[in-house]
Amino acid sequence: MAAKLAVPHIDVGIVTDDREAALAFWSHYMGFPVQGEVSFPGLTVIRLQVGDAILRLCVKDEPVARKACAGGFDEETGLRYLTLTVHNLDELVAGAAARGYPVPYPPREIRPGHRVAQVQDGQGVTVELVEIAAS
């Protein structure tokens, strides 16, 4: 049985125990506006608008037992990266480097008209940035 999507996109949740660091990357650096938050026992969920999708920062009240690998996206199994198609790849990569965020994959053309790069949020999530030349 296939999923019958009521909304044609996927929302993603990222667990963190460092609210300020998560907001510094996802809201202040990436520019995704906070749409609200709701608290549960032991956890606060902050909703960020990412185009038509929602990114949920799930902020634990206490330190988590295990942290995600902060290395390359292919160093462990599981959800390891998000892809965003952008118009300002070079600007975002330069901004990440200037703020001290890892840039494991600098901008490069992977096929004619398609450039990619990767930046990391410092907490184990890699963001693949894709820029497609206008035709």
Side-chain angles (χ1 to χ4, degrees):
M1 169 187 289
K4 296 178 182 177
L5 297 178
V7 180
H9 62 77
I10 188 168
D11 294 343
V12 176
I14 297 173
V15 176
T16 182
D17 58 4
D18 190 338
R19 177 188 179 103
E20 296 311 313
L23 284 172
F25 183 85
W26 294 103
S27 185
H28 304 142
Y29 161 64
M30 292 300 290
F32 302 140
V34 173
Q35 295 298 309
E37 63 182 72
V38 62
S39 293
F40 299 94
L43 178 79
T44 298
V45 177
I46 304 168
R47 293 183 329 278
L48 303 174
Q49 190 73 47
V50 182
D52 291 336
I54 296 292
L55 174 66
R56 290 173 175 81
L57 298 178
C58 303
V59 183
K60 299 279 293 178
D61 291 345
E62 301 293 327
V64 296
R66 292 184 331 147
K67 303 260 186 195
C69 169
F73 75 95
D74 58 351
E75 292 185 17
E76 67 181 4
T77 60
L79 179 61
R80 299 293 298 141
Y81 70 98
L82 308 173
T83 300
L84 300 174
T85 302
V86 300
H87 293 293
N88 60 338
L89 183 135
D90 292 316
E91 178 185 344
L92 286 169
V93 171
R99 290 167 174 81
Y101 295 118
V103 180
Y105 194 86
R108 67 184 71 170
E109 188 171 65
I110 60 168
R111 63 182 179 268
H114 286 73
R115 296 178 65 233
V116 300
Q118 290 180 349
V119 298
Q120 294 178 329
D121 73 347
Q123 298 186 61
V125 178
T126 297
V127 180
E128 177 182 56
L129 302 168
V130 177
E131 186 175 68
I132 302 170
S135 49

